[in-house]
Amino acid sequence: MNVADLLVDGFGRIQEVVHQSVDGLTGDQLTARPGPDANSIAWLVWHLTRVQDDHVADVAGTEQIWTAHDWHRRFGLPFPPADTGYAHSSADVAAVQVDDPKLLTGYYDAVHEHTVAWVGGLGGSALDRVVDDGWDPPVTLGVRLISVLSDDLQHAGQAAYVRGLLLG
């Protein structure tokens, strides 16, 4: 197995958990919050997808799927198109209202497809490329992709946990 195959496998695991967490839920279940300031499944999946879309588009030099394919209009959220959910308040979390689980999985699947197509072509020393020199040490492509994988898996796991709380 090469590094590209390993990354594709990792992103595939996120996709599995996203679908397991979302499929078959109602709009009320997607937006339910287990506590007054807790994150909903809708917010968690939207946010993890926005982060992946934003970060992969940045390192790949492509437009985000969110804007390139009008997902920002389909969701109709009250945020600027560049918003990824970072530092959202409780009110912002509540504003992520999604009635159809297929909206969340459709956007995630589109981002996933773009991600695995791009990372699947990585080879050689591509992961050593510095993508952000604003840190010490500078962030390489490999570190950025592992950061996205880690963050997304944590949020996908949180969504699965909230689903478990809702469905008992």
Side-chain angles (χ1 to χ4, degrees), residues 39-108:
N39 297 324
S40 67
I41 293 171
W43 185 89
L44 287 161
V45 172
W46 171 81
H47 168 64
L48 74 84
T49 308
R50 289 294 300 122
V51 168
Q52 184 175 327
D53 192 6
D54 174 76
H55 287 32
V56 171
D58 181 53
V59 296
T62 61
E63 184 179 353
Q64 293 180 30
I65 301 301
W66 183 245
T67 53
H69 298 277
D70 275 341
W71 286 100
H72 67 293
R73 292 192 201 287
R74 292 184 222 178
F75 273 76
L77 300 177
F79 313 125
D83 195 325
T84 63
Y86 181 74
H88 267 191
S89 68
S90 182
D92 293 331
V93 171
V96 178
Q97 295 292 309
V98 176
D99 292 329
D100 185 355
K102 291 181 180 173
L103 184 64
L104 287 166
T105 57
Y107 175 44
Y108 183 81

Side-chain angles (χ1 to χ4, degrees), residues 3 5 13 18 25 34-36 50 58 61 68 84 90 94 105 120 125 129 131-132 136 138 149-150 154:
V3 172
D5 293 338
R13 291 169 191 243
V18 163
L25 296 182
R50 289 294 300 122
D58 181 53
T84 63
S90 182
T105 57
S125 61
R129 175 173 61 100
V131 297
D132 187 348
D136 185 19
L149 274 165
S150 174
Q154 288 180 61

